[in-house]
């Protein structure tokens, strides 16, 4: 259990840490929180493995990362993009992209199409999963601001 879940999440944490160095993130709190978001997303990915396909796993994990990024952006008063980009990196289908191009170069059309469609579906699931929490938070903030302005308009002062 420990090796199956904790060690891969630790690897995801360190992979995100390496990208924080590449992206020159300087605040130590933001580095730790964004790397924790990557580990959390990878944990969600692993927990969904017995129940879902790879595409659905990526969707669930990206929703978790998106929620985490939106919440932490409000807690730390930092743009959600920082937490989102670093946190989503372990989910990026780099191997799928590599094998898709390898099959294309060697002329293996059936495997190229199969791997390419799977990689595209994973990338689309990640994009869709990230946009869901962002959209929900934006609608909530918009409605909250709108209700305040309506209240102030009809307050009667």
């Amino acid at each position: 259990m420990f090796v199956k879940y904790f060690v891969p999440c630790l690897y995801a944490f360190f992979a995100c840490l390496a990208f924080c160095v590449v992206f020159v993130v300087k605040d130590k709190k933001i580095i730790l929180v964004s790397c924790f978001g990557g580990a959390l997303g990878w944990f969600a990915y692993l927990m969904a493995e017995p129940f879902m396909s790879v595409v659905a796993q990526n969707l669930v994990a990206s929703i978790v990362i998106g929620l985490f990024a939106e919440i932490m952006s409000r807690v730390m008063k930092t743009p959600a993009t920082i937490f989102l980009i670093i946190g989503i990196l372990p989910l990026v289908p780099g191997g799928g992209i590599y094998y898709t191009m390898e099959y294309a170069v060697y002329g293996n059309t059936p495997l190229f199409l199969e791997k390419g469609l799977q990689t595209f579906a994973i990338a689309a699931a990640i994009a869709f999963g990230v946009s869901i929490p962002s959209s929900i938070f934006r609608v909530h903030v918009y409605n909250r601001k709108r209700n305040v302005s309506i209240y102030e308009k009809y307050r009667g002062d």
Side-chain angles (χ1 to χ4, degrees):
M1 179 86 174
F2 178 78
V3 174
K4 185 176 180 182
Y5 292 110
F6 182 73
V7 173
C9 292
L10 190 64
Y11 291 157
F13 181 89
F14 285 122
C16 292
L17 188 63
F19 275 98
C20 284
V21 171
V22 170
F23 293 149
V24 192
V25 180
K26 295 183 181 179
D27 189 359
K28 291 178 183 175
K29 289 180 196 174
I30 292 175
I31 291 172
L32 289 175
V33 170
S34 60
C35 292
F36 178 74
L40 181 68
W42 195 251
F43 182 73
Y45 178 86
L46 292 175
M47 293 303 290
E49 185 176 21
F51 311 108
M52 301 178 184
S53 68
V54 175
V55 175
Q57 284 176 268
N58 280 287
L59 177 67
V60 167
S62 62
I63 289 172
V64 167
I65 293 169
L67 283 171
F68 179 79
E70 291 292 333
I71 291 168
M72 293 314 296
S73 71
R74 276 131 180 101
V75 169
M76 298 188 74
K77 294 177 178 40
T78 306
T81 310
I82 294 171
F83 303 111
L84 196 58
I85 290 174
I86 299 295
I88 214 78
L89 284 170
L91 298 179
V92 172
I97 295 168
Y98 173 81
Y99 288 116
T100 300
M101 288 299 104
E102 181 182 27
Y103 297 143
V105 168
Y106 289 129
N108 194 341
T109 306
L111 283 176
F112 163 72
L113 291 174
E114 178 184 341
K115 194 53 123 172
L117 288 174
Q118 181 187 24
T119 303
F120 178 76
I122 290 170
I126 292 170
F128 188 65
V130 165
S131 67
I132 290 172
S134 176
S135 299
I136 290 171
F137 273 82
R138 286 176 194 239
V139 167
H140 174 71
V141 168
Y142 173 77
N143 284 337
R144 202 171 77 200
K145 285 181 181 178
R146 200 176 107 205
N147 289 340
V148 169
S149 64
I150 290 173
Y151 172 75
E152 289 174 354
K153 183 176 180 181
Y154 296 108
R155 194 167 65 189
D157 287 343

